[in-house]
């Protein structure tokens, strides 16, 4: 079988801005990240993995908060631990709270702007507070903010110096559906502007909505890298699940079962689900079978072309 990690070389990114090379990090006897090599470029990349997969450790090494035990990570060609000037082009939203509760949101973002030596800290802070839609609450103490509001304040602080690279560790935790949708739209827009956006998450639906590319980790190791479609296509020995909506599901199901590429069929009142070893052959056979059985096919869709199906497969392989 061609493994999903072979769908694309994890380091094969045009114009990479963040590069991780043979990176490992261990704490005593515990190996948190093991020999990971991957790269990130403009657009939104989802760093995917279950809790404990090593995502946070990898991100902290990438931004220079932790030193690697082996290997290296560079941002814009430089090691953040040695070249602090790279932080002028880097924004980081950590998973932990990382806010000063005695400050207002405005003061917190202005303070961040001052640390980055932004020329007009006040106007820059106002701009990013507007961006995350915190203007009305900007002068309230962070101690009275909900978790979702604190997340938005952290994003505003990370954006205040207009970074080229933005790295976010579980930035949607605690946000309500409206806040989540707005932040996802913001990250997609920033990626569309040519910035490198790396978003860590264990919530598959969130990554599916915003990421052009996925880097998946399982048990501290790189499990896969590439677009969801490319990863799914690389799972060559895994049957595809195809949904067909039709007015005559039983008749069409019996006909499709004649194909050697059909492994099983499940019928319901609105259509059928076909598990196939060759989606292409099935696709060619569906219109022929519809004509032969006098069936009307109203929709055909791949039920397992989702990030959830890919990730479930990756975890099962470990």
């Amino acid at each position: 079988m061609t493994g999903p990690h072979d769908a694309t070389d994890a380091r094969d990114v045009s114009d990479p801005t963040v590069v991780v090379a043979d990176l490992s990090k261990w704490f005593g006897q515990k190996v948190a990240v093991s020999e990971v090599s991957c790269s990130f470029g403009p657009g939104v990349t989802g760093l995917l993995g279950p809790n404990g997969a090593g995502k946070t450790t990898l991100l902290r090494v990438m931004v220079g908060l932790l030193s690697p035990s082996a290997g290296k990570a560079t941002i814009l060609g430089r090691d953040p631990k040695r070249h602090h000037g790279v932080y002028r082009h880097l924004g980081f939203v950590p998973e932990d709270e990382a806010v000063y509760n005695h400050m207002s949101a405005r003061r917190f973002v202005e303070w961040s702007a001052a640390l980055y030596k932004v020329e007009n800290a006040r106007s820059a802070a106002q701009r990013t507070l507007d961006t995350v839609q915190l203007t009305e609450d900007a002068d309230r103490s962070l101690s009275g903010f909900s978790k979702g509001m604190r997340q938005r304040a952290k994003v505003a602080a990370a954006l205040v110096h207009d970074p080229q690279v933005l790295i976010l560790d579980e930035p949607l935790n605690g946000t309500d559906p409206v806040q989540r949708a707005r932040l996802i739209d913001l990250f997609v827009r920033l990626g569309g502007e040519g910035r490198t956006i790396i978003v860590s998450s264990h919530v598959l639906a969130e990554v599916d909505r915003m990421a052009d590319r996925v880097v998946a980790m399982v048990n501290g190791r790189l499990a896969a890298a590439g677009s969801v479609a490319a990863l799914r296509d690389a799972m060559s020995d895994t049957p595809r699940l195809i949904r067909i909506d039709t007015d005559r599901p039983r008749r069409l199901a019996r006909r499709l079962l004649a194909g050697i590429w059909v492994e099983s069929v499940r019928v319901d009142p609105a259509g059928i689900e076909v598990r196939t070893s060759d989606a292409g052959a099935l696709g060619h056979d569906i219109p022929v079978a519809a004509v032969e059985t006098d069936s009307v096919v109203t929709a055909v869709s791949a039920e397992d072309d989702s990030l959830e199906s890919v990730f479930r497969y990756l975890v099962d392989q470990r």
Side-chain angles (χ1 to χ4, degrees):
M1 172 191 169
T2 300
H5 54 281
D6 296 321
T8 181
D9 190 314
R11 289 164 288 189
D12 187 18
V13 174
S14 60
D15 302 320
T17 50
V18 180
V19 177
V20 176
D22 298 319
L23 191 145
S24 296
K25 179 64 183 178
W26 51 82
F27 302 93
Q29 297 299 311
K30 180 182 178 182
V31 179
V33 176
S34 179
E35 299 178 340
V36 169
S37 293
C38 57
S39 63
F40 306 84
V44 181
T45 300
L47 180 60
L48 177 69
N51 290 326
K55 304 187 305 295
T56 292
T57 299
L58 177 63
L59 294 184
R60 288 180 176 273
V61 174
M62 284 165 54
V63 302
L65 293 178
L66 293 174
S67 297
S69 301
K72 65 178 182 178
T74 60
I75 294 176
L76 302 174
R78 290 173 288 176
D79 178 354
K81 292 286 285 185
R82 299 172 55 194
H83 302 280
H84 294 167
V86 76
Y87 290 113
R88 294 179 188 145
H89 310 285
L90 169 66
F92 178 53
V93 175
E95 182 182 20
D96 51 33
E97 288 296 283
V99 297
Y100 294 97
N101 282 329
H102 65 281
M103 290 184 177
S104 67
R106 187 183 308 280
R107 180 72 188 97
F108 176 63
V109 180
E110 288 179 354
W111 173 76
S112 181
L115 286 179
Y116 287 115
K117 299 181 180 179
V118 176
E119 281 191 15
N120 192 332
R122 180 169 295 183
S123 64
Q126 183 62 55
R127 171 178 53 81
T128 53
L129 287 165
D130 290 343
T131 298
V132 300
Q133 299 181 315
L134 270 181
T135 304
E136 292 185 4
D137 298 294
D139 296 308
R140 286 177 51 196
S141 170
L142 289 167
S143 62
F145 275 24
S146 66
K147 183 174 178 60
M149 293 173 71
R150 287 196 296 272
Q151 292 289 75
R152 285 189 283 156
K154 287 159 55 180
V155 172
L159 286 174
V160 74
H161 58 301
D162 200 25
Q164 181 181 346
V165 178
L166 181 63
I167 298 178
L168 310 109
D169 192 0
E170 301 282 0
L172 303 178
N173 276 358
T175 57
D176 63 37
V178 174
Q179 294 170 347
R180 189 175 302 118
R182 288 172 176 169
L183 285 175
I184 288 173
D185 288 344
L186 172 61
F187 302 151
V188 170
R189 177 171 63 80
L190 293 171
E193 293 173 357
R195 305 173 198 258
T196 297
I197 313 296
I198 303 171
V199 184
S200 166
S201 179
H202 66 283
V203 182
L204 305 178
E206 292 176 355
V207 176
D208 227 356
R209 289 172 62 188
M210 69 179 114
D212 309 309
R213 181 172 173 267
V214 174
V215 172
M217 293 184 66
V218 178
N219 297 328
R221 293 183 174 273
L222 183 74
S227 69
V228 175
L231 298 181
R232 184 60 183 85
D233 287 344
M235 293 153 56
S236 57
D237 67 349
T238 305
R240 305 293 294 270
L241 187 63
I242 307 298
R243 170 76 189 182
I244 305 169
D245 292 339
T246 178
D247 63 336
R248 295 183 171 178
R250 293 189 179 279
R251 184 179 296 185
L252 185 62
R254 283 195 297 270
R255 165 58 182 78
L256 290 175
L257 278 169
I260 61 173
W261 46 81
V262 173
E263 298 194 355
S264 65
V265 173
R266 188 180 72 83
V267 179
D268 61 53
I272 59 179
E273 287 184 353
V274 180
R275 192 167 293 278
T276 175
S277 59
D278 189 335
L282 176 65
H284 285 102
D285 195 34
I286 289 171
V288 176
V291 171
E292 291 179 359
T293 59
D294 195 26
S295 303
V296 176
V297 173
T298 55
V300 178
S301 59
E303 293 292 284
D304 58 354
D305 261 353
S306 69
L307 190 52
E308 182 176 2
S309 67
V310 171
F311 192 67
R312 188 187 310 117
Y313 172 84
L314 295 174
V315 172
D316 288 346
Q317 295 307 297
R318 300 280 161 164

